[in-house]
Amino acid sequence: MSDKTYLITPGPTPIPPEVAAAMAAPLIHHRSPEFKRLLVETLAGLGRVFATADPVLMFAGSGTSAMESAVSNLLAPGDRALVASAGNFGERWVKIIEAYGLRPQHLAQRWGERLDPQRIAERADGCVAVYVTHSETSTGVVHDVRAIAEALRPTGATLVVDAVSSLGGVELATEAWGVDVVVSGSQKALMTPPGLAFASVSERAWGLAARGGLPRFTLDWAATRDAQAASNTAFTPPVTLVAGLNAAISMLVREGLETAWQRNRRLALAAREGAKAIGLDLFSPDDESSAMVTAVRMPAEIDGQTVYALLRDRYGVVLAGGQGPLRGRVIRIGHMGYMNEFDIVTALSALEMALAELGHLAPAPGAGAARAVDVFSRLEAARV
Ligand code: PMP
């Protein structure tokens, strides 16, 4: 059992020391002027990350809370809504909508495919809202939200995007691309512990929300917006997490969002090349569209869950296993959030060692790490 842990997962992701330090400060009261200042600054920072001037609502809860809010606030009984999915988190939209008693249309593409904007637009006819995923964490595919928004424009449907595992790590130009609602959570590219959820809401989406129709209380958008407009929160917020998030956003802004996206692409490239050098096939696309998560197929004779447990228990390296039909078949390396080159080298080395223990030998010892180092060195050389 290793007592040093390396969290190289698609969430929760490691917390930078600056974020941990911000959360270690003495607790402040949520109705104090200090908290109001913190809240205003954090919401302004979120607006930059969400790339929108629309209000970004903040809730206590995990990312799924924000997803749920985008169902309970937007839809009314009898509405037609479309979900387009190609993985576990896309399918979650269906489950949430059904939990509210509605029956969405479901364009279910195969897990691992890219969502098809034209098919979505064809199926969206007569739908008030369309629900999609940006980074499908279960497969590693980052869907082309810009193209989906463009294809949907003539339909007039409100577009809702789950950006829980993409926001801050890959471009999402909410307002410029015409995305109505973007939901996200604190624990992935935003480098903060789990527990905060967000939703940006466009004017068109506010129009739908104003109809009411489905029950909501703690996740009520209007109550949240009105409180935030008065530099306040509707309920007691997780003050400590807000302090952490503010520090994390400052770091992101300091690094520059585009630099952070570029960092993700570099890490993803090295992860892909390293995995292939170990003799493994990729499940996620072998291109820049898998910038947040690399899903690596396991050799047929090896159970991915055994690899996952061995990595965690023997090496202290926490990667992620497969979900749903991919359980046991893939291992996922997360490169979002507070990650750098050496996290990828560590992940590849540990994966190679665990697989060797289970009988899959890389072409040469250290092949994965060597390839990753080579990729980083070439990218570095190309930069100067
Ligand atoms: N959507 C996506 C794309 C995710 O990756 C996750 C978390 N893995 C969720 C939704 C759910 O978020 P949470 O677990 O914070 O509720």
Side-chain angles (χ1 to χ4, degrees), residues 32-330:
S32 65
E34 292 96 311
F35 183 73
K36 282 183 192 286
R37 275 196 296 275
L38 173 66
L39 180 68
V40 168
E41 198 175 309
T42 309
L43 292 174
L46 276 175
R48 288 175 78 164
V49 180
F50 274 75
T52 179
D54 292 326
V56 180
L57 309 176
M58 184 191 283
F59 306 100
S62 79
T64 307
S65 311
M67 293 175 74
E68 179 167 346
S69 82
V71 171
S72 62
N73 286 271
L74 270 182
L75 298 182
D79 275 352
R80 281 176 64 178
L82 172 70
V83 174
S85 78
N88 186 38
F89 293 102
E91 291 176 6
R92 184 165 296 182
W93 282 124
V94 175
K95 293 181 183 150
I96 298 172
I97 294 171
E98 286 179 348
Y100 277 88
L102 276 74
R103 299 190 61 144
Q105 321 247 344
H106 187 193
L107 172 58
Q109 294 189 218
R110 289 226 327 256
W111 283 42
E113 282 182 2
R114 290 183 168 85
L115 291 177
D116 181 337
Q118 288 317 320
R119 283 177 68 194
I120 295 175
E122 281 157 23
R123 290 285 297 272
D125 206 28
C127 290
V128 296
V130 174
Y131 292 82
V132 300
T133 314
H134 191 202
S135 162
E136 177 47 79
T137 321
S138 63
T139 65
V141 175
V142 177
H143 296 296
D144 191 346
V145 164
R146 182 185 203 156
I148 294 170
E150 243 171 65
L152 274 179
R153 200 156 297 136
T155 72
T158 293
L159 176 60
V160 182
V161 173
D162 166 2
V164 171
S165 73
S166 59
L167 192 86
V170 65
E171 184 176 20
L172 178 50
T174 302
E175 199 169 333
W177 293 354
V179 182
D180 294 288
V181 177
V182 170
V183 299
S184 195
S186 50
Q187 77 274 25
K188 295 180 188 251
L190 298 183
M191 306 185 290
T192 305
L196 284 172
F198 321 105
S200 72
V201 182
S202 75
E203 220 165 297
R204 175 162 57 180
W206 281 114
L208 279 186
R211 301 173 307 157
L214 293 178
R216 63 240 195 182
F217 193 78
T218 55
L219 299 175
D220 186 72
W221 279 357
T224 307
R225 174 195 58 195
D226 294 348
Q228 288 185 187
S231 310
N232 213 336
T233 57
F235 312 104
T236 309
V239 172
T240 310
L241 293 179
V242 179
L245 178 67
N246 192 43
I249 292 176
S250 301
M251 285 179 69
L252 254 184
V253 169
R254 212 181 317 134
E255 180 184 14
L257 281 167
E258 296 193 1
T259 312
W261 304 336
Q262 190 186 25
R263 174 166 49 82
N264 276 295
R265 291 197 297 270
R266 292 158 70 91
L267 300 184
L269 175 63
R272 294 197 298 275
E273 291 300 312
K276 289 189 285 182
I278 300 174
L280 301 171
D281 294 327
L282 298 174
F283 179 83
S284 45
D286 193 1
D287 60 42
E288 283 195 346
S289 72
S290 58
M292 309 306 285
V293 185
T294 298
V296 183
R297 286 184 198 274
M298 290 296 97
E301 67 284 6
I302 293 179
D303 175 19
Q305 289 307 107
T306 307
V307 180
Y308 166 73
L310 189 61
L311 282 164
R312 183 193 56 201
D313 298 339
R314 172 127 45 217
Y315 299 104
V317 175
V318 185
L319 305 185
Q323 298 181 316
L326 296 179
R327 190 175 165 84
R329 293 176 49 210
V330 302

